[in-house]
Amino acid sequence: MLLPAPFADWFAARGWRVRRHQVDMLDAAGRGEHALLVAATGAGKTLAGFLPSLVDLAAHPSDRLHTLYISPLKALAADVERNLGAPITEMDLPIRVESRSGDTSSDKKARQRAKPPNILLTTPESLSLLLSYPDSFTMFADLKTVVIDEIHAFAPGKRGDILSLALARLQAIAPGLRRVGLSATIADPAQYAAWLAPDADAKAVTLVEGEAGADPDIAILLPEGAVPWAGHSGRYAVHQVMAEVARNRTTIIFCNTRGLAELIFQELWKVNTAGLPIAIHHGSLDREARQRAEAAMAEGRLRALVATSSLDLGLDWGDVDCVIQMGAPKGSSRLLQRIGRANHRLDEPSRALIVPGNRFEYLEARAALDAVAAGERDADHFRPGALDVLAQHVMALACAAPFREPELLAEIRSAAPYRWIDAATFSRLLGFVRDGGYALKSYDRFRRLAPDGQGGWRIAHPRLAAQHRLNAGIIVDAPTLDVRFKNGRRLGTVEEYFASTLAPGDTFAFAGLSLEVEAIRDTDLYVRATSRPARIPSYVGARMALSTRLADRVRAFLADPDAWHRFPEDVRFWLEMQAHRSVLPRPGELLVETFPHEEAHYLVAYPFEGWNAHQSLGMLITKRMERAGLQPLGFVASDYALAIWSLRPVTDPATLFDAAILEDEFIQWVEGSHLLKRAFREVAVIGGLIERQHPGKRKTGKQVTFSTDLIFDVLRKYEPDHLLLEAAWADARTRLTDVARLGNLLDRAAGTMVHMPLDRISPLAIPVLVLIGRENVAAADIDDALLGELADTLAAAAMAPG
């Protein structure tokens, strides 16, 4: 399709040429085809998604909603709204563009439903709410296109579930609707095409590949001394990072966690002797603070912004000269996404630096560079659509209009994540939405649906529609628990996720003390001081998982001495000493070393399955060691290794890594801890069983937890096969424990384990054993010098001649 003259002139006036993929998107639209565009950041991807709509609306002005744009972030939608304003204003196009999110005023929301703009920019959650209104049928009747930006940020998770269900409803309202997906970083386009298409028909989606841009310029920033043995922050390089900031107009410094972002921000301020303007941006900050930082970046008033994944998907700041990744990137796709924030121009290389936190992270950084150069992306893991999300969606549709069960089931099954739903499962789900299920149906508060007198279902009372809209949403805030002694003295807080893995008798390190869990009641974690070693380290939230593909590349490095010439001398010597003292695992092998050290016996395994999986495995194996009488004292995990120490030696580690651990210890652990109860809390909130808000009043986290705990206990006793208990188990098995990777590891352990009994610590074990010193003191009291001394002591034992 030729670009109409006004558009061609507009491109020419800006000195731009029309990209091939932008023309291909116009052609796909002309044929009425769904389309998936995979193009590099800075390639005009978002404009390519909108271009067919702008051209159509310019030729055929309308006062109806034409295009719906779905963004993962409110800030990204607002940024796109600003950027769309330029072509619309400069070509004087008769097109109205507005955004809608939780921050939009109630008056504007009502007006948008009655008189929608031509292009509406919104989020999955806001779209779901729009579909809960009776006027949604008229609002979306003439909808032509849905554009889903950053599709990889939705599809594999629960936000993807609710969006996929919303697309199925939109397609039912407007059968001729075209679906368009945009992304810069997906490994398997066919997977995403199936998710995007009606009835999961990937062949119905035209794949458009963007023009290749300039290769990114990525380097690894090495310290002036040796690469550290342990740590994840890269704070040793803060002077070098500040010097890089001073050299550039604007730098974005990415950190993998909010805590690390705060740390690096403070460390940079300490060495910012020139007083350069720098700011911080992450999801826990107040919305106004984030917006101030975004505005300052957009206006060029900042020299550096320290950020987390809150900016992974990025805003269009063209003057960013460099991106710095503090710590390992954890995946090539994430690294590319972050690198794309620099320059934001297709024909100029994006410049980035990686600051590895330790020696294993150096290998991971090198693996990431190789993966980017090879065009390799991280695979996403799709799973069946969640039942709690489906329950919320069914309630939303009931608020809009009565429905009949067979027709609604057919519509739901047209959404790719819910192809698996059969009539029996859907009947169970309707029973839950209708009255809460068998054990709860006698309570009026759980009755939400009633027969409509014509063979269908309607909401049981009009007030339920307002209540649903007040409480709907997929993101459930993670609450914290107060850590207290029995006398009420408060020590601080831990994230509920960590507390949910604990059972009475467990010990953990916190506030410089070794604490034993006595009880968990409501939002309080009761402890007592103990002289027993702190077996479980405290932590805040689950960390980013190391991608399987990067882990495979690191394994390949270990097994290929011919590649070591690319590494710094200290890293190369470390690997050479490991090969001399023990062995280096080959791809596919599970190396397990056992050795005595300082009056304890150590087992160190190197699964390379990521911190989340290793943390769960450590809990399970220590339980098994207890039953075997090995008297485990504690464990510590990294992305690469797991170390467990005990009073008695492990002579046959194969018995500990038996796959049956997932059927025995895993189930006992989940049921004995509060993990399942906390997973139930989330699915109960999403599924609408528990309300977070009433008009003018929001429940506290304690009130929500108390309500869900009561219902959980009732269901476990009287209806153990309840739909939400099933959904909670699904969450516990996947998202909370990374159990899929754990299962794969255990399945292959018996046939691939290489056990090396040693007489002393091995060089490869040093990085994970240094973490023992880090985990056994309060975070605020960690002295890098002391940890450095510990690392030097361990290294002297492991790498001395002889």
Side-chain angles (χ1 to χ4, degrees):
M1 177 186 292
L2 291 175
L3 199 61
F7 288 84
D9 293 344
W10 180 77
F11 271 84
R14 293 203 155 207
W16 295 351
R17 67 176 176 86
V18 183
R19 302 286 181 178
R20 174 183 46 77
H21 52 270
Q22 293 171 332
V23 175
D24 289 347
M25 292 294 282
L26 279 168
D27 290 341
R31 296 189 298 267
E33 296 169 349
H34 307 295
L36 174 62
L37 171 60
V38 181
T41 300
K45 182 171 72 271
T46 306
L47 180 57
F50 278 110
L51 200 52
S53 298
L54 297 178
V55 169
D56 190 31
L57 282 166
H60 308 97
S62 168
D63 61 356
R64 304 286 295 160
L65 178 61
H66 181 286
T67 295
L68 194 61
Y69 167 86
I70 310 295
S71 159
L73 299 173
K74 291 182 287 186
L76 188 54
D79 192 56
V80 169
E81 183 178 4
R82 284 193 299 270
N83 292 335
L84 272 180
I88 291 172
T89 301
E90 291 167 17
M91 285 186 276
D92 194 24
L93 301 177
I95 299 173
R96 289 192 302 118
V97 181
E98 293 180 2
S99 60
R100 180 189 182 97
S101 70
D103 299 331
T104 306
S105 69
S106 56
D107 290 346
K108 186 175 182 180
K109 286 180 179 179
R111 196 261 302 152
Q112 285 175 339
R113 296 203 326 271
K115 189 176 170 54
N118 302 121
I119 299 176
L120 181 64
L121 317 173
T122 191
T123 61
E125 292 80 4
S126 289
L127 173 58
S128 180
L129 288 175
L130 281 170
L131 290 172
S132 73
Y133 288 94
D135 55 17
S136 59
F137 295 95
T138 54
M139 179 179 182
F140 296 113
D142 297 316
L143 186 64
K144 300 294 189 296
T145 304
V146 175
V147 178
I148 303 167
D149 205 356
E150 309 289 3
I151 191 172
H152 62 274
F154 296 115
K158 287 190 175 184
R159 296 184 82 198
D161 292 347
I162 198 70
L163 178 55
S164 185
L165 290 166
L167 289 173
R169 170 44 56 107
L170 290 174
Q171 203 81 48
I173 295 172
L177 174 68
R178 269 193 346 111
R179 306 181 184 190
V180 174
L182 311 175
S183 180
T185 53
I186 56 178
D188 186 353
Q191 271 188 312
Y192 283 88
W195 181 90
L196 181 64
D199 299 310
D201 181 9
K203 294 179 181 178
V205 177
T206 297
L207 176 62
V208 177
E209 296 188 37
E211 292 182 21
D215 291 333
D217 175 10
I218 316 172
I220 299 175
L221 184 66
L222 295 175
E224 294 162 357
V227 179
W229 287 107
H232 296 283
S233 67
R235 64 191 293 188
Y236 65 82
V238 66
H239 285 278
Q240 293 166 277
V241 170
M242 198 66 226
E244 189 66 32
V245 169
R247 277 193 289 271
N248 298 317
R249 287 173 300 174
T250 312
T251 302
I252 299 181
I253 302 163
F254 277 109
C255 301
N256 288 342
T257 65
R258 296 171 186 180
L260 178 55
E262 292 284 355
L263 171 67
I264 294 300
F265 180 69
Q266 295 297 331
E267 293 294 313
L268 286 172
W269 264 117
K270 291 177 185 176
V271 299
N272 185 15
T273 54
L276 301 178
I278 61 176
I280 186 170
H281 188 290
H282 61 69
S284 292
L285 294 176
D286 179 73
R287 176 170 57 88
E288 291 186 4
R290 294 198 305 272
Q291 289 176 337
R292 283 196 300 271
E294 291 162 11
M297 280 291 286
E299 295 164 12
R301 292 186 282 112
L302 287 181
R303 295 293 295 275
L305 183 66
V306 181
T308 62
S309 55
S310 61
L311 285 185
D312 267 9
L313 302 176
L315 307 182
D316 190 3
W317 296 323
D319 289 332
V320 176
D321 295 318
C322 182
V323 164
I324 298 178
Q325 166 68 42
M326 303 299 294
K330 301 304 165 196
S332 59
S333 294
R334 180 177 293 111
L335 178 60
L336 272 176
Q337 191 77 47
R338 291 179 169 181
I339 291 171
R341 307 282 63 85
N343 284 337
H344 223 79
R345 292 181 288 272
L346 185 65
D347 300 321
E348 297 179 24
S350 299
R351 196 165 65 85
L353 290 172
I354 304 176
V355 184
N358 58 61
R359 296 186 183 197
F360 267 122
E361 285 197 353
Y362 171 82
L363 297 178
E364 183 185 329
R366 176 58 59 189
L369 263 63
D370 289 355
V372 169
E376 184 177 274
R377 305 292 179 265
D378 302 313
D380 287 310
H381 302 287
F382 286 73
R383 81 284 177 275
L387 291 170
D388 52 334
V389 176
L390 180 56
Q392 183 179 127
H393 178 69
V394 168
M395 186 61 189
L397 299 191
C399 293
F403 64 84
R404 291 178 179 271
E405 186 171 338
E407 287 85 348
L408 183 55
L409 174 58
E411 178 184 313
I412 286 167
R413 282 177 50 81
S414 73
Y418 293 95
R419 299 289 291 168
W420 69 276
I421 296 289
D422 56 24
T425 303
F426 191 56
S427 180
R428 285 180 62 213
L429 183 124
L430 277 184
F432 161 68
V433 179
R434 181 183 64 238
D435 53 32
Y438 170 78
L440 303 175
K441 66 193 310 179
S442 59
Y443 298 93
D444 288 344
R445 59 175 289 199
F446 299 118
R447 293 180 184 171
R448 294 185 285 170
L449 298 181
D452 68 352
Q454 299 178 18
W457 297 98
R458 60 170 176 81
I459 55 172
H461 193 280
R463 64 174 168 77
L464 293 173
Q467 198 63 29
H468 167 82
R469 294 174 192 128
L470 199 59
N471 287 277
I474 301 303
I475 300 171
V476 180
D477 295 333
T480 58
L481 272 70
D482 288 329
V483 181
R484 297 182 183 276
F485 288 130
K486 192 176 291 185
N487 64 8
R489 179 189 163 199
R490 182 175 175 275
L491 296 175
T493 62
V494 294
E495 196 172 49
E496 187 181 55
Y497 171 77
F498 171 67
S500 72
T501 66
L502 300 174
D506 284 340
T507 56
F508 68 102
F510 187 79
L513 301 171
S514 183
L515 302 175
E516 179 179 328
V517 177
E518 292 196 315
I520 301 175
R521 289 195 291 271
D522 299 332
T523 58
D524 293 320
L525 172 62
Y526 289 96
V527 298
R528 67 180 182 88
T530 179
S531 58
R532 293 169 54 204
R535 216 187 69 198
I536 301 171
S538 61
Y539 60 91
V540 179
R543 300 176 187 174
M544 290 179 177
L546 172 68
S547 77
T548 301
R549 290 185 175 177
L550 283 197
D552 289 344
R553 283 184 173 273
V554 172
R555 283 194 187 99
F557 284 158
L558 297 182
D560 182 15
D562 290 340
W564 297 355
H565 69 277
R566 306 166 62 199
F567 306 158
E569 182 178 352
D570 52 336
V571 174
R572 187 168 63 250
F573 181 63
W574 168 54
L575 298 180
E576 290 169 350
M577 287 302 295
Q578 171 66 20
H580 174 67
R581 292 269 180 233
S582 178
V583 297
L584 285 157
R586 291 177 297 189
E589 287 183 344
L590 173 62
L591 173 62
V592 177
E593 297 175 328
T594 52
F595 49 80
H597 181 68
E598 292 186 346
E599 301 181 355
H601 295 275
Y602 284 76
L603 178 152
V604 181
Y606 304 91
F608 291 86
E609 295 295 347
W611 184 89
N612 299 328
H614 295 168
Q615 187 77 8
S616 299
L617 183 62
M619 295 212 185
L620 298 178
I621 288 183
T622 52
K623 298 284 186 186
R624 182 161 280 195
M625 289 175 67
E626 283 177 352
R627 292 189 178 90
L630 296 173
Q631 298 177 272
L633 298 173
F635 77 88
V636 69
S638 71
D639 273 325
Y640 320 96
L642 166 68
I644 305 173
W645 58 102
S646 58
L647 291 178
R648 298 181 62 188
V650 174
T651 56
D652 183 13
T655 60
L656 300 177
F657 288 80
D658 184 348
I661 202 168
L662 289 182
E663 297 177 6
D664 302 332
E665 280 82 358
F666 177 77
I667 292 174
Q668 293 172 19
W669 167 47
V670 171
E671 292 184 340
S673 72
H674 278 56
L675 182 64
L676 189 60
K677 188 174 283 191
R678 296 314 175 214
F680 179 80
R681 172 189 178 272
E682 179 170 312
V683 299
V685 169
I686 292 174
L689 192 67
I690 293 297
E691 297 161 346
R692 288 174 282 190
Q693 296 189 74
H694 294 282
K697 182 180 180 182
R698 182 178 179 89
K699 282 186 178 180
T700 64
K702 184 173 184 178
Q703 289 170 324
V704 171
T705 299
F706 180 72
S707 301
T708 56
D709 284 359
L710 281 177
I711 296 173
F712 177 84
D713 292 337
V714 168
L715 295 181
R716 284 287 300 275
K717 184 174 182 179
Y718 296 107
E719 196 178 354
D721 61 347
H722 190 275
L723 184 108
L724 285 193
L725 288 178
E726 180 183 327
W729 261 108
D731 271 11
R733 283 186 176 277
T734 55
R735 184 176 57 83
L736 297 183
T737 62
D738 222 348
V739 78
R741 293 182 72 166
L742 199 52
N744 292 335
L745 162 66
L746 295 172
D747 284 342
R748 67 174 189 269
T752 65
M753 183 178 291
V754 176
H755 176 208
M756 292 295 295
L758 306 173
D759 59 3
R760 56 174 156 165
I761 180 175
S762 76
L764 209 61
I766 296 171
V768 72
L769 293 196
V770 172
L771 293 178
I772 296 171
R774 181 175 295 274
E775 300 288 6
N776 280 332
V777 296
D781 296 331
I782 292 173
D783 186 322
D784 282 348
L786 290 176
L787 290 175
E789 290 178 14
L790 172 61
D792 290 342
T793 301
L794 293 172
M799 302 178 72

